[in-house]
């Protein structure tokens, strides 16, 4: 895990470059922002998207990302900040992911399933599947920031920004990051393990080995069963 930041971990999300990238991504979701009745995503209206797409658009100047900034920000600025913070968290999540048998892509998850079948003759043919339950958003945010090595002081800002869009672009990133410690434990012990979002699989050479792995992984080490996050 990285060392917790001493300054605001979200400062980079307010830079002109980050906000410009956020603007580009928001407009990419609206192929023709000059046209009326363009399908909207999030909380931006047709008119707001057209304003964002204007040739004379200038990025907002934000000196600090705090509660006062969010209270006074207009809808476009809040959408830009939500997308920019999402990008910041995604990059940090990518840097923190463990390496090994874990592959967080859908293709990697499918390859894991095929690998278990292909490896049947070598004994790893006992498979367990689990689904991670939705948890209280505050709990998820705190767990995610801890796993990413970010300070708790960012919790309020991130929770507020997560509500800046109807599609909640930050929530899925936080949910993924909240499970990093689970991933680290599994891959650090060489378990045959794969997780994509809330879908998780484990493979072992015997029922007993699989039961031991499940017990250690979910009950003893990470406590996900105790927290009510696993079914």
């Amino acid at each position: 895990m990285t060392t917790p930041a001493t300054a605001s971990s979200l400062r980079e999300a307010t830079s002109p470059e980050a906000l410009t990238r956020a603007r580009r991504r928001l407009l990419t979701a609206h192929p023709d922002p000059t046209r009326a009745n363009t399908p909207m995503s999030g909380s931006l209206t047709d008119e707001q998207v057209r304003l964002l797409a204007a040739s004379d658009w200038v990025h907002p100047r934000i000196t600090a990302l705090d509660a006062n900034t969010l209270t006074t920000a207009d809808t476009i600025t809040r959408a830009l900040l939500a997308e920019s913070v999402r990008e910041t968290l995604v990059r940090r999540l990518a840097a923190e992911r463990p390496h090994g048998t874990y592959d967080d892509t859908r293709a990697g998850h499918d390859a894991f399933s095929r690998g278990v079948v292909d490896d049947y003759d070598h004994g790893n043919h006992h498979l367990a599947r689990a689904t991670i339950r939705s948890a209280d958003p505050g709990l998820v945010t705190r767990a995610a920031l801890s796993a990413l090595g970010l300070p708790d002081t960012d919790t309020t800002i991130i929770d507020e920004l997560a509500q800046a869009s109807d599609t909640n672009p930050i929530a899925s990133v936080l949910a993924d990051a909240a499970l990093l410690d689970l991933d680290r434990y599994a891959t650090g012990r060489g378990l045959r393990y794969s997780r994509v979002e809330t879908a998780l699989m484990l493979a072992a050479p015997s029922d007993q080995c699989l039961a031991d792995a499940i017990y250690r992984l979910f009950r003893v080490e990470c406590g996900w069963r105790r927290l009510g996050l696993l079914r």
Side-chain angles (χ1 to χ4, degrees), residues 163-176:
Q163 306 306 316
S165 169
D166 293 340
T167 54
N168 207 338
I170 298 175
S172 60
V173 181
L174 293 174
D176 203 357

mmCIF file with all atom_site columns, all heavy atoms in Angstrom, residues 163-176:
data_model
loop_
_atom_site.group_PDB
_atom_site.id
_atom_site.type_symbol
_atom_site.label_atom_id
_atom_site.label_alt_id
_atom_site.label_comp_id
_atom_site.label_asym_id
_atom_site.label_entity_id
_atom_site.label_seq_id
_atom_site.pdbx_PDB_ins_code
_atom_site.Cartn_x
_atom_site.Cartn_y
_atom_site.Cartn_z
_atom_site.occupancy
_atom_site.B_iso_or_equiv
_atom_site.pdbx_formal_charge
_atom_site.auth_seq_id
_atom_site.auth_comp_id
_atom_site.auth_asym_id
_atom_site.auth_atom_id
_atom_site.pdbx_PDB_model_num
ATOM 1  N N   . GLN A 1 163 ? -22.317 12.052 -5.753  1.00 0.00 ? 163 GLN A N   1
ATOM 2  C CA  . GLN A 1 163 ? -23.725 12.367 -5.998  1.00 0.00 ? 163 GLN A CA  1
ATOM 3  C C   . GLN A 1 163 ? -23.883 13.453 -7.061  1.00 0.00 ? 163 GLN A C   1
ATOM 4  O O   . GLN A 1 163 ? -24.994 13.885 -7.352  1.00 0.00 ? 163 GLN A O   1
ATOM 5  C CB  . GLN A 1 163 ? -24.387 12.838 -4.700  1.00 0.00 ? 163 GLN A CB  1
ATOM 6  C CG  . GLN A 1 163 ? -24.234 11.878 -3.540  1.00 0.00 ? 163 GLN A CG  1
ATOM 7  C CD  . GLN A 1 163 ? -24.700 10.467 -3.869  1.00 0.00 ? 163 GLN A CD  1
ATOM 8  O OE1 . GLN A 1 163 ? -25.749 10.302 -4.483  1.00 0.00 ? 163 GLN A OE1 1
ATOM 9  N NE2 . GLN A 1 163 ? -23.938 9.464  -3.467  1.00 0.00 ? 163 GLN A NE2 1
ATOM 10 N N   . ALA A 1 164 ? -22.786 13.882 -7.648  1.00 0.00 ? 164 ALA A N   1
ATOM 11 C CA  . ALA A 1 164 ? -22.842 14.975 -8.632  1.00 0.00 ? 164 ALA A CA  1
ATOM 12 C C   . ALA A 1 164 ? -23.364 14.520 -9.975  1.00 0.00 ? 164 ALA A C   1
ATOM 13 O O   . ALA A 1 164 ? -23.660 15.322 -10.838 1.00 0.00 ? 164 ALA A O   1
ATOM 14 C CB  . ALA A 1 164 ? -21.447 15.586 -8.799  1.00 0.00 ? 164 ALA A CB  1
ATOM 15 N N   . SER A 1 165 ? -23.468 13.214 -10.170 1.00 0.00 ? 165 SER A N   1
ATOM 16 C CA  . SER A 1 165 ? -23.955 12.686 -11.435 1.00 0.00 ? 165 SER A CA  1
ATOM 17 C C   . SER A 1 165 ? -24.961 11.583 -11.149 1.00 0.00 ? 165 SER A C   1
ATOM 18 O O   . SER A 1 165 ? -24.772 10.775 -10.243 1.00 0.00 ? 165 SER A O   1
ATOM 19 C CB  . SER A 1 165 ? -22.797 12.125 -12.263 1.00 0.00 ? 165 SER A CB  1
ATOM 20 O OG  . SER A 1 165 ? -23.277 11.393 -13.358 1.00 0.00 ? 165 SER A OG  1
ATOM 21 N N   . ASP A 1 166 ? -26.016 11.533 -11.955 1.00 0.00 ? 166 ASP A N   1
ATOM 22 C CA  . ASP A 1 166 ? -27.018 10.482 -11.779 1.00 0.00 ? 166 ASP A CA  1
ATOM 23 C C   . ASP A 1 166 ? -26.433 9.099  -12.019 1.00 0.00 ? 166 ASP A C   1
ATOM 24 O O   . ASP A 1 166 ? -26.920 8.104  -11.508 1.00 0.00 ? 166 ASP A O   1
ATOM 25 C CB  . ASP A 1 166 ? -28.189 10.714 -12.741 1.00 0.00 ? 166 ASP A CB  1
ATOM 26 C CG  . ASP A 1 166 ? -28.975 11.972 -12.376 1.00 0.00 ? 166 ASP A CG  1
ATOM 27 O OD1 . ASP A 1 166 ? -28.850 12.416 -11.223 1.00 0.00 ? 166 ASP A OD1 1
ATOM 28 O OD2 . ASP A 1 166 ? -29.687 12.487 -13.247 1.00 0.00 ? 166 ASP A OD2 1
ATOM 29 N N   . THR A 1 167 ? -25.374 9.051  -12.845 1.00 0.00 ? 167 THR A N   1
ATOM 30 C CA  . THR A 1 167 ? -24.750 7.762  -13.133 1.00 0.00 ? 167 THR A CA  1
ATOM 31 C C   . THR A 1 167 ? -23.650 7.421  -12.132 1.00 0.00 ? 167 THR A C   1
ATOM 32 O O   . THR A 1 167 ? -23.046 6.367  -12.215 1.00 0.00 ? 167 THR A O   1
ATOM 33 C CB  . THR A 1 167 ? -24.148 7.775  -14.549 1.00 0.00 ? 167 THR A CB  1
ATOM 34 O OG1 . THR A 1 167 ? -23.254 8.901  -14.670 1.00 0.00 ? 167 THR A OG1 1
ATOM 35 C CG2 . THR A 1 167 ? -25.233 7.888  -15.594 1.00 0.00 ? 167 THR A CG2 1
ATOM 36 N N   . ASN A 1 168 ? -23.372 8.348  -11.193 1.00 0.00 ? 168 ASN A N   1
ATOM 37 C CA  . ASN A 1 168 ? -22.432 8.099  -10.105 1.00 0.00 ? 168 ASN A CA  1
ATOM 38 C C   . ASN A 1 168 ? -21.124 7.485  -10.602 1.00 0.00 ? 168 ASN A C   1
ATOM 39 O O   . ASN A 1 168 ? -20.826 6.321  -10.323 1.00 0.00 ? 168 ASN A O   1
ATOM 40 C CB  . ASN A 1 168 ? -23.080 7.176  -9.065  1.00 0.00 ? 168 ASN A CB  1
ATOM 41 C CG  . ASN A 1 168 ? -22.482 7.401  -7.679  1.00 0.00 ? 168 ASN A CG  1
ATOM 42 O OD1 . ASN A 1 168 ? -21.375 7.895  -7.552  1.00 0.00 ? 168 ASN A OD1 1
ATOM 43 N ND2 . ASN A 1 168 ? -23.227 7.026  -6.660  1.00 0.00 ? 168 ASN A ND2 1
ATOM 44 N N   . PRO A 1 169 ? -20.294 8.242  -11.327 1.00 0.00 ? 169 PRO A N   1
ATOM 45 C CA  . PRO A 1 169 ? -19.082 7.689  -11.933 1.00 0.00 ? 169 PRO A CA  1
ATOM 46 C C   . PRO A 1 169 ? -18.025 7.245  -10.938 1.00 0.00 ? 169 PRO A C   1
ATOM 47 O O   . PRO A 1 169 ? -17.126 6.481  -11.283 1.00 0.00 ? 169 PRO A O   1
ATOM 48 C CB  . PRO A 1 169 ? -18.569 8.856  -12.789 1.00 0.00 ? 169 PRO A CB  1
ATOM 49 C CG  . PRO A 1 169 ? -19.078 10.071 -12.084 1.00 0.00 ? 169 PRO A CG  1
ATOM 50 C CD  . PRO A 1 169 ? -20.433 9.678  -11.579 1.00 0.00 ? 169 PRO A CD  1
ATOM 51 N N   . ILE A 1 170 ? -18.119 7.712  -9.709  1.00 0.00 ? 170 ILE A N   1
ATOM 52 C CA  . ILE A 1 170 ? -17.088 7.403  -8.720  1.00 0.00 ? 170 ILE A CA  1
ATOM 53 C C   . ILE A 1 170 ? -17.400 6.137  -7.941  1.00 0.00 ? 170 ILE A C   1
ATOM 54 O O   . ILE A 1 170 ? -16.498 5.419  -7.510  1.00 0.00 ? 170 ILE A O   1
ATOM 55 C CB  . ILE A 1 170 ? -16.915 8.588  -7.745  1.00 0.00 ? 170 ILE A CB  1
ATOM 56 C CG1 . ILE A 1 170 ? -16.451 9.837  -8.519  1.00 0.00 ? 170 ILE A CG1 1
ATOM 57 C CG2 . ILE A 1 170 ? -15.925 8.271  -6.642  1.00 0.00 ? 170 ILE A CG2 1
ATOM 58 C CD1 . ILE A 1 170 ? -16.376 11.081 -7.673  1.00 0.00 ? 170 ILE A CD1 1
ATOM 59 N N   . ALA A 1 171 ? -18.684 5.827  -7.764  1.00 0.00 ? 171 ALA A N   1
ATOM 60 C CA  . ALA A 1 171 ? -19.084 4.741  -6.870  1.00 0.00 ? 171 ALA A CA  1
ATOM 61 C C   . ALA A 1 171 ? -18.471 3.398  -7.256  1.00 0.00 ? 171 ALA A C   1
ATOM 62 O O   . ALA A 1 171 ? -18.010 2.642  -6.395  1.00 0.00 ? 171 ALA A O   1
ATOM 63 C CB  . ALA A 1 171 ? -20.601 4.629  -6.836  1.00 0.00 ? 171 ALA A CB  1
ATOM 64 N N   . SER A 1 172 ? -18.466 3.062  -8.550  1.00 0.00 ? 172 SER A N   1
ATOM 65 C CA  . SER A 1 172 ? -17.946 1.759  -8.966  1.00 0.00 ? 172 SER A CA  1
ATOM 66 C C   . SER A 1 172 ? -16.445 1.653  -8.721  1.00 0.00 ? 172 SER A C   1
ATOM 67 O O   . SER A 1 172 ? -15.934 0.577  -8.390  1.00 0.00 ? 172 SER A O   1
ATOM 68 C CB  . SER A 1 172 ? -18.256 1.504  -10.447 1.00 0.00 ? 172 SER A CB  1
ATOM 69 O OG  . SER A 1 172 ? -17.655 2.495  -11.264 1.00 0.00 ? 172 SER A OG  1
ATOM 70 N N   . VAL A 1 173 ? -15.733 2.777  -8.866  1.00 0.00 ? 173 VAL A N   1
ATOM 71 C CA  . VAL A 1 173 ? -14.291 2.775  -8.602  1.00 0.00 ? 173 VAL A CA  1
ATOM 72 C C   . VAL A 1 173 ? -14.033 2.543  -7.119  1.00 0.00 ? 173 VAL A C   1
ATOM 73 O O   . VAL A 1 173 ? -13.149 1.767  -6.736  1.00 0.00 ? 173 VAL A O   1
ATOM 74 C CB  . VAL A 1 173 ? -13.654 4.101  -9.061  1.00 0.00 ? 173 VAL A CB  1
ATOM 75 C CG1 . VAL A 1 173 ? -12.143 4.073  -8.807  1.00 0.00 ? 173 VAL A CG1 1
ATOM 76 C CG2 . VAL A 1 173 ? -13.940 4.359  -10.523 1.00 0.00 ? 173 VAL A CG2 1
ATOM 77 N N   . LEU A 1 174 ? -14.805 3.203  -6.275  1.00 0.00 ? 174 LEU A N   1
ATOM 78 C CA  . LEU A 1 174 ? -14.646 3.029  -4.834  1.00 0.00 ? 174 LEU A CA  1
ATOM 79 C C   . LEU A 1 174 ? -14.958 1.595  -4.412  1.00 0.00 ? 174 LEU A C   1
ATOM 80 O O   . LEU A 1 174 ? -14.252 1.012  -3.583  1.00 0.00 ? 174 LEU A O   1
ATOM 81 C CB  . LEU A 1 174 ? -15.565 4.000  -4.087  1.00 0.00 ? 174 LEU A CB  1
ATOM 82 C CG  . LEU A 1 174 ? -15.246 5.490  -4.223  1.00 0.00 ? 174 LEU A CG  1
ATOM 83 C CD1 . LEU A 1 174 ? -16.332 6.321  -3.550  1.00 0.00 ? 174 LEU A CD1 1
ATOM 84 C CD2 . LEU A 1 174 ? -13.880 5.807  -3.629  1.00 0.00 ? 174 LEU A CD2 1
ATOM 85 N N   . ALA A 1 175 ? -16.022 1.016  -4.995  1.00 0.00 ? 175 ALA A N   1
ATOM 86 C CA  . ALA A 1 175 ? -16.388 -0.359 -4.655  1.00 0.00 ? 175 ALA A CA  1
ATOM 87 C C   . ALA A 1 175 ? -15.281 -1.326 -5.022  1.00 0.00 ? 175 ALA A C   1
ATOM 88 O O   . ALA A 1 175 ? -15.001 -2.292 -4.300  1.00 0.00 ? 175 ALA A O   1
ATOM 89 C CB  . ALA A 1 175 ? -17.690 -0.736 -5.361  1.00 0.00 ? 175 ALA A CB  1
ATOM 90 N N   . ASP A 1 176 ? -14.636 -1.075 -6.166  1.00 0.00 ? 176 ASP A N   1
ATOM 91 C CA  . ASP A 1 176 ? -13.536 -1.924 -6.612  1.00 0.00 ? 176 ASP A CA  1
ATOM 92 C C   . ASP A 1 176 ? -12.333 -1.761 -5.683  1.00 0.00 ? 176 ASP A C   1
ATOM 93 O O   . ASP A 1 176 ? -11.718 -2.740 -5.243  1.00 0.00 ? 176 ASP A O   1
ATOM 94 C CB  . ASP A 1 176 ? -13.158 -1.550 -8.043  1.00 0.00 ? 176 ASP A CB  1
ATOM 95 C CG  . ASP A 1 176 ? -12.466 -2.679 -8.783  1.00 0.00 ? 176 ASP A CG  1
ATOM 96 O OD1 . ASP A 1 176 ? -12.227 -3.749 -8.175  1.00 0.00 ? 176 ASP A OD1 1
ATOM 97 O OD2 . ASP A 1 176 ? -12.146 -2.503 -9.968  1.00 0.00 ? 176 ASP A OD2 1
#
